Amino acid sequence: MSGLEPFGPGSAWLAVRDRTQADVAEALGLTDGRAADPGDAAAAGTRTVILPPLPGVGGSWTLAVGDRLARTSPRRLETLAAMLGTEVQLHDALAADDAPEVLRRAAAGSIDPSTLAGPYRGNVLLFHDVDEGPPPREQVKTPSRTPWLWTRLTRRRATIAPRDDT
């Protein structure tokens, strides 16, 4: 058991009801996480941190915290909620003009992360995000294997000539 580090203004986080850290990491496409000290995780910057499930309003809440979660689209939230089969809330104090309002909504709907304190069960998981950049503008063309296959078939046919037994 270890103590949690409060966070809030200047961060963005998802609150996921009644799901494990592994469920949330998988839905977000995060891999290669490691257990981390809460202080190191809080200062992680551009990485994503997933806290263990914490008791909150209406159940337990797993919080995923990271700058890359800022400006998550409503469609992405709907997709995450469908994948996880539960409620997913975005609290974005980075993109919002009024961070105290974001904290107030988080406290009313799930957990106020600025009040986190005391011991908790489990590990804080830290994931190093890899930014793959924007998708290409044009569809990537893959070479067709058909010409290769046809050349192999026609070459094979040419080498098998009928026998002349006269």
Side-chain angles (χ1 to χ4, degrees), residues 30-146:
L30 300 172
T31 58
D32 298 328
R34 66 174 176 85
D37 176 74
D40 294 340
T46 60
R47 301 174 190 159
T48 301
V49 176
I50 301 182
L51 302 179
L54 304 167
V57 177
S60 66
W61 293 86
T62 301
L63 305 181
V65 185
D67 294 349
R68 292 192 61 209
L69 299 171
R71 296 174 182 83
T72 299
S73 72
R75 184 173 181 174
R76 174 83 168 126
L77 286 177
E78 290 172 10
T79 303
L80 288 170
M83 287 173 60
L84 291 163
T86 190
E87 182 180 359
V88 177
Q89 301 174 4
L90 172 66
H91 302 289
D92 188 351
L94 284 173
D97 293 330
D98 190 7
E101 173 62 18
V102 172
L103 289 171
R104 188 194 64 72
R105 282 187 286 121
S110 54
I111 295 173
D112 179 351
S114 66
T115 62
L116 294 177
Y120 67 95
R121 293 193 178 278
N123 292 314
V124 171
L125 298 181
L126 179 62
F127 294 86
H128 295 275
D129 291 337
V130 177
D131 187 3
E132 297 175 5
R137 292 182 187 200
E138 297 177 5
Q139 184 177 7
V140 178
K141 295 179 181 178
T142 55
S144 171
R145 294 185 61 101
T146 307

Side-chain angles (χ1 to χ4, degrees), residues 2-58:
S2 183
L4 288 170
E5 295 288 327
F7 67 92
S11 59
W13 67 98
L14 292 175
V16 180
R17 185 193 311 252
D18 298 329
R19 290 296 177 263
T20 66
Q21 289 169 296
D23 294 338
V24 174
E26 182 178 10
L28 292 173
L30 300 172
T31 58
D32 298 328
R34 66 174 176 85
D37 176 74
D40 294 340
T46 60
R47 301 174 190 159
T48 301
V49 176
I50 301 182
L51 302 179
L54 304 167
V57 177

